Amino acid sequence: MTDVSYTGPDFDPPQPRRSRRGPLTVALAALVPGALLGWAVYAAVGGPADDGGSAHATATGSPSARTPSPGGASPTGTPDDDRGPSASPTATAPSPSASAPAGSGPLKGKVVVIDPGHNPGNARHTGEINRQVDIGTHRKECDTTGTATNDGYAEAEFTLDVAHRMRAILREQGATVKLTQDADRPFGPCVDERARIGNEANADAVVSIHADGSGAGNRGFHVILPGSVRAGAADTRAIVGPSRELGERIAGNFVRVTGSAPSNYVGGGTGLVTREDLGGLNLSTVPKVFIECGNMRDSKDAALLTSGAWRQKAAQGISEGIVSFLRG
């Protein structure tokens, strides 16, 4: 496989990985307990297998001026479907500084923190987000602007929309839900503060929502798990196990609900990638994963990511993975 420039959260490249699966991906996936069984069934009947290079892109326009369409951007470059069939509770969303009220469902008493990757205002505050922060293993930028589709639909807008949909779903299950940001601050929070928000909430699960900016032909989702890190302020040893379980359950449910296949360019066909260079994971003391829901720079994935109906499925799949993890 050709080398790719990985442009996921924080835009640091992962360490090179050798695929150990090849034709055996389906068989090995079937061995993953519980949540990934449905995944193996899906892979057995076929999924996208495009190969391609990669490119890095950042959102430079004002994402708040754009809304997505069901099948991609409109010919004018202004997509026209922001909410899909299920309305997102954006207009009445509480501040991320306060937890959303919980219902009386099976997750009553559980706390979930949703971390919408990036902030729509980051592009207007490049000096501030380029400030270096300590992530335990080293120092890196406070945050990035994120990526965008070729038609200008920003990752930061995508992540907020999915986060709002997830919040509504999880509240119905009784969970107390907190967002790390709701476009209610000029920029950020920085990656270290994102981790701190989950820690201080004593969250039972934290999920950081992203979409990738890899090259055309690179398709599919992947879930990023924390590696075992003990350096400076970082010590992930206690959360590696539960975070992997959370990630596996999210991956299995994401496949089942959305029909999307695991990434064909990282993860060796498993849809699971372990990284030790992300501050949001390194500094977490509670179970946490990232999910790259698809590749915004691939036209087929972009058509999904800009569809309100698909984003509802994505929110449902991620949420059902969280519910499965929290209910045991």
Side-chain angles (χ1 to χ4, degrees):
M1 187 176 77
T2 57
D3 292 337
V4 298
S5 297
Y6 182 83
T7 53
D10 299 346
F11 301 113
D12 274 7
Q15 296 300 312
R17 296 170 57 89
R18 291 187 305 166
S19 176
R20 292 169 296 188
R21 292 167 175 79
L24 298 179
T25 297
V26 174
L28 291 179
L31 297 177
V32 180
L36 296 186
L37 180 58
W39 188 346
V41 174
Y42 175 84
V45 300
D50 299 337
D51 289 318
S54 67
H56 169 72
T58 56
T60 57
S62 173
S64 61
R66 305 186 183 96
T67 52
S69 66
S74 68
T76 63
T78 304
D80 53 17
D81 173 23
D82 187 38
R83 303 300 171 213
S86 300
S88 170
T90 304
T92 57
S95 165
S97 62
S99 299
S104 57
L107 296 188
K108 187 172 181 61
K110 299 293 186 181
V111 176
V112 176
V113 171
I114 304 172
D115 177 29
H118 315 292
N119 180 320
N122 280 0
R124 297 186 294 274
H125 294 272
T126 55
E128 291 91 340
I129 67 171
N130 283 330
R131 177 174 64 86
Q132 299 280 304
V133 298
D134 185 1
I135 67 165
T137 54
H138 60 288
R139 298 183 68 83
K140 68 187 309 178
E141 292 81 3
C142 157
D143 201 359
T144 68
T145 60
T147 188
T149 66
N150 292 332
D151 289 316
Y153 178 49
E155 179 186 3
E157 185 176 354
F158 168 82
T159 64
L160 272 177
D161 182 85
V162 173
H164 291 159
R165 296 170 189 267
M166 287 176 58
R167 178 171 59 194
I169 294 167
L170 292 166
R171 286 180 62 189
E172 289 179 356
Q173 293 290 317
T176 296
V177 182
K178 182 172 185 175
L179 271 60
T180 59
Q181 59 92 12
D182 203 0
D184 56 350
R185 53 189 292 165
F187 63 91
C190 296
V191 294
D192 56 340
E193 183 182 353
R194 289 174 184 269
R196 189 161 58 248
I197 290 170
N199 297 344
E200 292 178 350
N202 195 26
D204 296 285
V206 184
V207 178
S208 189
I209 311 298
H210 287 268
D212 210 351
S214 187
N218 291 341
R219 296 198 61 194
F221 78 93
H222 60 279
V223 178
I224 303 175
L225 313 173
S228 182
V229 173
R230 187 184 184 190
D235 188 350
T236 63
R237 291 173 297 172
I239 68 163
V240 167
S243 295
R244 172 168 284 275
E245 181 182 354
L246 172 63
E248 289 176 348
R249 289 177 183 262
I250 288 175
N253 281 279
F254 196 83
V255 167
R256 179 178 57 79
V257 177
T258 67
S260 292
S263 168
N264 64 7
Y265 60 100
V266 291
T270 68
L272 301 174
V273 176
T274 300
R275 292 179 63 176
E276 300 177 358
D277 62 319
L278 299 178
L281 295 180
N282 286 0
L283 300 176
S284 182
T285 59
V286 295
K288 182 174 182 178
V289 299
F290 283 50
I291 181 168
E292 296 279 3
C293 296
N295 176 21
M296 295 193 113
R297 290 300 187 173
D298 177 82
S299 60
K300 293 179 181 178
D301 269 11
L304 300 176
L305 297 164
T306 55
S307 164
W310 188 88
R311 291 197 305 276
Q312 185 66 25
K313 292 180 181 180
Q316 189 72 41
I318 299 168
S319 297
E320 290 186 13
I322 295 171
V323 171
S324 174
F325 170 73
L326 293 181
R327 298 192 71 181

